[in-house]
Amino acid sequence: MPALIPSSVRLTILLMVGLLLPAVAAAQTQLPPRPNFIVFIADDLSWDDCGAYGRKQVGTPNIDRLAREGLLFTDAFLTCSSCSPSRASILTGRYPHNTGAEQLHWPLPAEQTMVSEPLREAGYWTASAGKWHLGKAAKSKFDLVAEGRADQWLPTLKKRPAGKPFFLWLASTDPHRPYKPGATEPPHDPSDVVVPPYLPDVPETRQDLADYYDATSRLDRDMGEVLAELDRSGAAYNTFIVFLSDNGRPFPRCKTTVYDSGIKTPFIIRWPRQVRPGGTCFNLVSSIDIAPTMLELAGVAPSKKFQGVSLVPVLADTTANVRSSIMAEHNWHDYTSYDRAVRTDWIKYIRNGYLDLPLTPPADAVGSPTYQAMRRLLAEGKLTPAQQVCFQTPRPAEELYDLRADRHELRNLAADPRYADELARHRKLLDEWEQQTHDRMPPVRTPDEFDRQTGKPLGPRHPRVASPELRAEKID
C-alpha cells in the first residue's frame, strides 16, 4: 500500500512529520514542573489558637499570611490526638491502629509505606527536620533526617539539591510543654487569653495559656524563616505547603481526647501556582488525606495501603465534598485508654472503651499549673460539671453532641430521644469503620506509666512492642 503513494506526497508527509516532532518534544519539555512539598506540623496546637482562625490574641503573622495566600480549612481533623501515632498516620495515610504504631512512642514498623518512599522513587529529594518521633526504621525512608528542634529547618531546606523537586517534613516542638519564659517578646498578657468553658478561669490557667500562646508565636517565627527562604530562592511559587498540628493543646480535655478540642486541627494549604489565595473550605477533611493528595499532584500512583482520599478536587473547587465523615481514635498515651469517634457535619459520636478510668490528660498536662488548680478546686467543690469531666468515673459508654448548638461538646445527648435516629446512624458508621479497618480493643491493657494525680513517673518504662501476630494483622 505505501508504494502506491506518490513520491511527492510521501515527501510532503515526511516534511510535516519532521516539523511536528520538535514541536511535540518542546511541548513535553514545557509541561509544568512537579510541585515541591512542605508539611509544617505543630506539636500540640489546637485548631483555633492562631490569628487565621480568629484568635487574634495570639501573635501568628506567618500562619495568618499562609491563610491569606492560600486555602484555609474550617473542618479538618486528625485521626487521633496523640503525638507519634498522629504523625505516623499522616505520613502513611492510614489510621493509627492500621500502622502498628498506635500507642505513644511505638516505632513505625519498617514494612509500612510512608509517603516519602514513592516520592523518592519518583525523583524527589526527601528530608525530615526537627522533632523525630517515628523510630529508627522510618529514618531510612527519607534521604535526610535532621533531628532536633526547628533550628534544623532552614539548614535542611538549604541542602536541597538543585534541579530536583523536594519533600520536607518540618516538625516543630512547639507549643509542646514544658514552657519557659522568653519564648517570645513581648510575652502574651494572661488577661488577654481565652479560657474555654471546660477549664477554670483562674490565674493559674490564664498564665498557663499565656505561656502556651508564647510557644505558639515561636512556632510561627520559625515558619517565617522558611517562608522567607522560599521567597528569596524563588521556590515559593511552585511549593505546595500544608500546615497542621499533630493534636490539640496540652491542657485537660484537649490533647489525648477525641473531642474537637483534641482532634480538630488548623489546616492550611498554600500553592501559589494553582491554589487561589484567600479561599475557605467548609467541608470535612482528614489528616490521612494529605499523602494521597501529594502523590496525585506529583503524578505518582497512590499506594493501595493508603486509606485517605485525595484533596485535589478541593484545590480547584472549595465546595467539593470529598468525604462525609471523619473517624478518630485514642489509644495509650502515658495512661491506658481506648476511645473511638465519628464526626459528620454537625454530629459527634464517641464510644468509650474503659469506663472505669477517668479522662486523665497527658502526664505533662497533669503536672501543669492548670490541672493542679483544678484538683484544688475540685476538692473545694468549685468546678462546674464540664470542668469535672477529667476526674469522673464511670465514664459514659456513649456520647453524642449537636455541634450546631454545642460547639464545646458539653451536653451529652446520647439518651435524648430526639436524637435517637442520629445516634443509630452514627453507631452504624462507627461499626462499619471498625469492621472495615479490623479495629478491636486490645486483649490486654497497657499499664499507666505516670501517676494520674501528679503526673510523676511510676517506675521503669514498660516495653511497647505489640505481639507479631497483632501487628501483622493490623498491617495487612
Side-chain angles (χ1 to χ4, degrees), residues 86-403:
S86 179
R87 293 160 189 256
S89 175
I90 295 166
L91 283 165
T92 61
R94 290 169 67 79
Y95 291 105
H97 68 272
N98 293 127
T99 67
E102 66 268 33
Q103 294 193 19
L104 180 68
H105 303 309
W106 272 8
L108 187 68
E111 54 266 45
Q112 287 289 334
T113 299
M114 297 172 67
V115 68
S116 55
E117 295 176 273
L119 286 176
R120 185 164 61 179
E121 292 169 2
Y124 275 74
W125 183 73
T126 63
S128 170
K131 181 173 182 176
W132 182 257
H133 210 181
L134 299 165
K136 294 181 180 180
K139 288 185 177 180
S140 65
K141 302 174 187 292
F142 286 90
D143 293 303
L144 172 67
V145 173
E147 290 189 64
R149 302 179 69 87
D151 58 359
Q152 298 296 316
W153 289 3
L154 200 55
T156 300
L157 174 61
K158 292 181 177 180
K159 289 178 182 177
R160 66 192 187 279
K164 292 188 73 170
F166 59 83
F167 163 55
L168 296 183
W169 172 263
L170 301 183
S172 180
T173 54
D174 281 325
H176 197 289
R177 295 180 185 275
Y179 301 134
K180 297 179 180 179
T184 189
E185 292 295 339
H188 290 82
D189 189 332
S191 65
D192 292 334
V193 306
V194 177
V195 181
Y198 46 79
L199 297 178
D201 191 348
V202 293
E204 295 94 330
T205 303
R206 285 189 164 273
Q207 184 60 60
D208 211 8
L209 284 168
D211 293 341
Y212 158 77
Y213 286 5
D214 288 352
T216 301
S217 289
R218 181 167 56 193
L219 157 72
D220 184 87
R221 180 199 66 199
D222 295 333
M223 291 174 58
E225 293 178 353
V226 173
L227 297 179
E229 168 61 17
L230 292 175
D231 291 338
R232 185 200 62 78
S233 64
Y237 179 71
N238 196 34
T239 297
F240 179 95
I241 292 176
V242 182
F243 166 67
L244 77 163
S245 182
D246 59 352
N247 48 247
R249 68 177 75 88
F251 282 76
R253 207 185 172 276
C254 298
K255 179 180 177 179
T256 69
T257 78
V258 289
Y259 295 118
D260 278 12
S261 52
I263 61 170
K264 192 170 183 180
T265 178
F267 197 93
I268 300 170
I269 289 176
R270 190 190 78 170
W271 185 23
R273 199 188 90 192
Q274 186 167 319
V275 175
R276 296 177 63 180
T280 303
C281 176
F282 298 97
N283 294 327
L284 295 169
V285 299
S286 173
S287 59
I288 57 170
D289 300 336
I290 294 173
T293 301
M294 292 195 299
L295 290 190
E296 181 174 346
L297 293 175
V300 179
S303 168
K304 294 182 180 179
K305 293 184 177 181
F306 286 174
Q307 296 169 309
V309 297
S310 173
L311 300 178
V312 168
V314 180
L315 304 182
D317 178 6
T318 59
T319 65
N321 196 351
V322 297
R323 58 168 61 247
S324 59
S325 63
I326 64 93
M327 304 293 178
E329 61 188 86
H330 175 53
N331 307 294
W332 188 96
H333 182 122
D334 296 339
Y335 307 102
T336 187
S337 188
Y338 185 88
D339 305 309
R340 299 296 185 261
V342 55
R343 191 191 193 280
T344 51
D345 285 340
W346 55 274
I347 289 287
K348 164 73 72 59
Y349 171 68
I350 296 173
R351 184 178 293 161
N352 297 312
Y354 301 148
L355 308 186
D356 57 311
L357 300 175
L359 190 65
T360 308
D364 58 348
V366 168
S368 71
T370 297
Y371 193 76
Q372 293 307 308
M374 292 174 72
R375 287 183 63 201
R376 184 191 76 246
L377 294 168
L378 178 68
E380 297 173 354
K382 296 180 179 178
L383 289 183
T384 68
Q387 295 162 2
Q388 297 177 31
V389 168
C390 294
F391 303 98
Q392 290 177 338
T393 55
R395 294 172 61 196
E398 296 179 300
E399 300 175 55
L400 190 77
Y401 298 99
D402 183 338
L403 300 168

Side-chain angles (χ1 to χ4, degrees), residues 3-17:
L4 300 177
I5 301 175
S7 58
S8 60
V9 175
R10 291 201 302 272
L11 179 61
T12 301
I13 292 173
L14 289 173
L15 288 172
M16 291 177 65
V17 170

